[in-house]
Amino acid sequence: MKNITDLKTVRLRDDLNAVVILDQTRLPAEESYLELSSAEEIWDAIYKLKVRGAPAIGVAAAYGIYVCSRQIQAASFDEFYTEFHRIKEYLAGARPTAVNLVAFLERMEKVVLDNVSATVSTLVELLHDEAITIREEDAAACRRIGEYALSLLRPGMGILTHCNAGHLAVSEYGTALAPVYLGEERGYGFKVFADETRPLLQGARLTAYELHRAGVDVTLICDNMASSVMQKGWVQAVVVGCDRVAMNGDVANKIGTSGVAVLARHYGIPFYVLGPTSTIDKQCPDGKSIIIEERAPEEVSEMWYTHRMAPDDIHIYNPAFDVTPHGLITAIITEKGIAYPPFEESLKL
Ligand code: MRU
């Protein structure tokens, strides 16, 4: 397998006082990087999916708030915290569904609140260390998720995935794609089917790109072809990522995921959700409580086309995520292990 870690999803460049991200809106045509130094630039990059994927936006925000903290002019803790909190709330509002964004920002805020007697320069140093720890923990979690998930897979399997929960969506390696990469390193010879994932094409532009670049056997299909490849017996497991996991095991992930879960149940194919425990929302009892992001109608009617493909003024509904009910999920795999139903019990561990 060719290494993919030369692609740097999110990096901290202290020397530039910037968060450096791989601009995912330019892929697959171009691997280009953006330097983000202001809260507005970081918010915009998250909102426009230049950096995307639940853990990656959380890491970008953690690095981002550290970079912004270095620029805060404050003579006292109170002055520092007031501005810090303003930026934190602003960044947390960039996207509503992935819990990692707010969870990682809250970890950063806790560092400040736990050190009310510290000087501003000490606070900034502590924020630096916390942001680095968040990123390292995310990378380590992905590896462990990959190992646990690989224990459920067999060489030569056909694996279907939806959206992009790979290296580009996290600090390193991916969640849903971590077992694929580990399996590839160990000669498992998986055959991956990547749903293109309308409307923003994370499957076509990102999953197909990163797997193909790594030398993994990947076949791109349109979202409406998943049933057909399952019916032919080409798929033995489905692996997807997650943006928020409720305590009853309901899972929000990219729009279309719940449809894939329904198909998997129909064809008797195991449906695995992979994500770090940072994606489990302990405050969220079930999927009904998850806020689903709605995005611009033009993403459906115009984006990627040379001219508009829908009548002017037509009603367009463009939810970015959906909730897969826990009853359709075979297992939720985190860095702590494999959780099986009933998830009320297994996710508490
Ligand atoms: O809108 P996106 O591209 O940020 O959506 C990403 C997904 O739905 C991923 O499956 C999820 O964030 C898990 S990433 C490891």
Side-chain angles (χ1 to χ4, degrees):
M1 188 184 94
K2 284 184 225 122
N3 202 334
I4 40 149
T5 50
D6 61 315
L7 281 181
K8 304 289 180 200
T9 307
V10 188
R11 260 176 304 165
L12 178 61
R13 284 286 304 269
D14 261 323
D15 53 331
L16 301 172
N17 199 25
V19 184
V20 178
I21 59 157
L22 176 63
D23 184 351
Q24 298 193 33
T25 59
R26 316 287 294 190
L27 290 172
E30 204 181 287
E31 285 173 11
S32 61
Y33 290 87
L34 291 173
E35 289 170 20
L36 315 170
S37 296
S38 68
E40 290 71 22
E41 286 170 339
I42 295 154
W43 187 96
D44 185 73
I46 294 172
Y47 178 72
K48 293 193 176 141
L49 276 59
K50 293 175 185 174
V51 57
R52 34 68 51 205
I57 61 177
V59 172
Y63 278 168
I65 200 157
Y66 157 69
V67 164
C68 294
S69 299
R70 285 179 69 176
Q71 300 163 45
I72 296 175
Q73 306 284 332
S76 67
F77 176 88
D78 286 348
E79 270 180 41
F80 180 85
Y81 178 62
T82 303
E83 181 58 1
F84 179 95
H85 184 71
R86 186 191 68 75
I87 299 168
K88 180 224 146 191
E89 293 290 301
Y90 172 64
L91 292 179
R95 296 189 76 189
T97 305
V99 70
N100 310 63
L101 176 61
V102 73
F104 289 170
L105 283 167
E106 276 173 3
R107 263 182 76 168
M108 296 294 279
E109 185 166 50
K110 186 168 183 309
V111 166
V112 178
L113 292 174
D114 285 351
N115 292 280
V116 288
S117 325
T119 61
V120 167
S121 65
T122 303
L123 286 172
V124 170
E125 268 173 46
L126 292 169
L127 287 167
H128 171 268
D129 295 350
E130 186 71 358
I132 299 286
T133 304
I134 286 172
R135 196 254 175 220
E136 281 171 2
E137 284 178 6
D138 182 53
C142 287
R143 283 280 170 154
R144 286 199 292 273
I145 290 166
E147 293 290 356
Y148 281 120
L150 192 61
S151 72
L152 299 167
L153 305 174
R154 297 288 162 261
M157 271 185 166
I159 295 176
L160 186 136
T161 190
H162 189 77
C163 192
N164 174 267
H167 180 75
L168 294 167
V170 301
S171 303
E172 253 176 56
Y173 248 57
T175 56
L177 297 189
V180 172
Y181 286 125
L182 290 181
E184 192 66 21
E185 282 171 10
R186 296 169 199 178
Y188 273 54
F190 293 133
K191 294 188 184 337
V192 180
F193 292 90
D195 283 353
E196 68 174 344
T197 317
R198 282 274 296 158
L200 294 183
L201 305 183
Q202 288 93 333
R205 294 186 304 106
L206 308 176
T207 297
Y209 177 71
E210 64 165 84
L211 289 176
H212 183 64
R213 190 177 183 277
V216 175
D217 179 337
V218 56
T219 302
L220 176 64
I221 58 172
C222 298
D223 298 336
N224 58 2
M225 297 170 189
S227 175
S228 171
V229 296
M230 289 180 178
Q231 200 175 69
K232 287 182 187 337
W234 294 350
V235 178
Q236 283 72 49
V238 174
V239 293
V240 296
C242 44
D243 284 79
R244 194 179 295 246
V245 179
M247 290 312 287
N248 70 343
D250 290 350
V251 165
N253 191 49
K254 178 54 53 194
I255 188 70
T257 303
S258 67
V260 179
V262 170
L263 291 175
R265 174 57 54 90
H266 178 77
Y267 291 109
I269 298 167
F271 182 90
Y272 298 122
V273 174
L274 289 74
T277 47
S278 58
T279 310
I280 300 174
D281 184 354
K282 293 202 171 75
Q283 314 304 320
C284 179
D286 55 41
K288 287 197 293 295
S289 328
I290 300 176
I291 298 171
I292 299 294
E293 174 181 13
E294 281 187 42
R295 297 186 62 88
E298 291 75 23
E299 290 181 350
V300 174
S301 57
E302 288 165 36
M303 212 162 173
W304 321 118
Y305 300 125
T306 52
H307 61 276
R308 190 177 165 93
M309 282 291 161
D312 290 339
D313 303 327
I314 196 80
H315 294 302
I316 292 175
Y317 174 50
N318 183 18
F321 299 94
D322 63 20
V323 173
T324 300
H326 58 90
L328 294 175
I329 298 171
T330 310
I332 298 175
I333 301 151
T334 72
E335 75 278 15
K336 297 204 172 146
I338 304 172
Y340 290 102
F343 295 114
E344 280 93 347
E345 298 307 315
S346 54
L347 287 180
K348 276 192 205 137
L349 303 174

